[in-house]
Amino acid sequence: MKLISENRAFGGTHLRYSHPSESTNCEMTFAIFLPPFASKEKPVPVLYWLSGLTCTDQNFMQKAGAMKLASELGMAIVAPDTSPRGEGVPDDENGSYDFGLGAGFYLDATQAPWNKHYNMYSYITDELPALVENNFPVTKERALSGHSMGGHGALVIGMRNPNRFVSVSAFSPVANPTECEWGKKAFSHYLGEDTEQWKAYDSALLLASKTHSIPLLVEQGTSDEFMQEQLKPQALVHGAQQSDTQLTLNMHEGYDHSYFFIASFIEDHLEFHAGHLGLI
């Protein structure tokens, strides 16, 4: 790993690293916040945060206002980049924001040329946690959260891997990507035209199938400009009803899709995960 930057924050330390990734076949970047007193003798659990379209590891760390409470709770936070990047990594030929660089959708691509690099599902599920646990004073207790495309990733990865994560939450997730334009565009390129293959990455369908057992918390703003066409939160409610699964979906009047919304309720999510991580 190569250290990019280091900053003190709320008694803890915020670090950014780059490293060669086997999953994505390129150099990846991630940030980690370590609370005070985290050490080999006293390792701490980790909340992994997955950001949305166009974002990098820096958006959450700089805008969410999560580090103060994480410091008090004794919780590390890891924020990876949202896609592979670098020379040779393919991008959308039109440079659109909803596909290609910055838009990995947290899946493992099966179609060329995307399948050589766009394997964010394996990176988040296996490679990054192993890297973090081998190099930092953290435990194997993990929670998972994210926003928008990252909320989609958090829900899908959490529900498909309840043995790896103790809890999962999301802000404004792309809940039913097989039925929205963002998802259809990404899935058709990354996964091909067989829509049956898409279902493994649709959180509303996974919720309906009851293939998981993990605590779920979701926040959605009613003034989110993407809610009706792209996010479709009611699909999560329908899925939970079909499988008789417990889902907490909080609708917030007047809130939009921005980090103002995330910062307003991030402490609720930290406390939610802290409870399942045994910190409170």
Side-chain angles (χ1 to χ4, degrees), residues 64-220:
M67 285 187 278
K68 183 176 187 295
L69 183 56
S71 179
E72 295 169 1
L73 291 169
M75 176 191 296
I77 301 175
V78 171
D81 202 348
T82 53
S83 80
R85 299 182 195 267
E87 185 177 352
V89 177
D91 191 13
D92 180 76
E93 59 184 14
N94 297 315
S96 61
Y97 74 94
D98 56 356
F99 177 69
L101 298 184
F105 270 87
Y106 303 101
L107 49 73
D108 283 349
T110 59
Q111 304 298 302
W114 317 104
N115 56 347
K116 182 179 179 181
H117 299 285
Y118 285 79
N119 298 301
M120 291 297 294
Y121 179 90
S122 291
Y123 179 71
I124 299 300
T125 305
D126 298 310
E127 184 176 2
L128 182 60
L131 183 72
V132 169
E133 288 159 14
N134 287 334
N135 288 278
F136 300 98
V138 300
T139 70
K140 293 183 182 295
E141 293 293 302
R142 315 171 190 125
L144 187 59
S145 188
H147 171 236
S148 195
M149 178 187 72
H152 140 77
L155 291 172
V156 167
I157 293 172
M159 284 192 282
R160 287 178 56 176
N161 297 275
N163 59 322
R164 294 175 181 265
F165 300 94
V166 301
S167 52
V168 60
S169 71
F171 288 81
S172 316
V174 183
N176 195 193
T178 60
E179 298 296 332
C180 76
E181 291 307 311
W182 281 348
K184 290 177 181 178
K185 179 178 180 178
F187 288 5
S188 62
H189 284 80
Y190 293 140
L191 303 174
E193 297 299 333
D194 182 2
T195 57
E196 286 298 310
Q197 303 301 314
W198 301 4
K199 294 179 180 179
Y201 297 102
D202 188 305
S203 53
L205 298 180
L206 291 173
L207 191 54
S209 68
K210 202 175 182 179
T211 58
H212 72 286
S213 177
I214 191 167
L216 300 170
L217 172 63
V218 178
E219 313 290 336
Q220 177 64 59

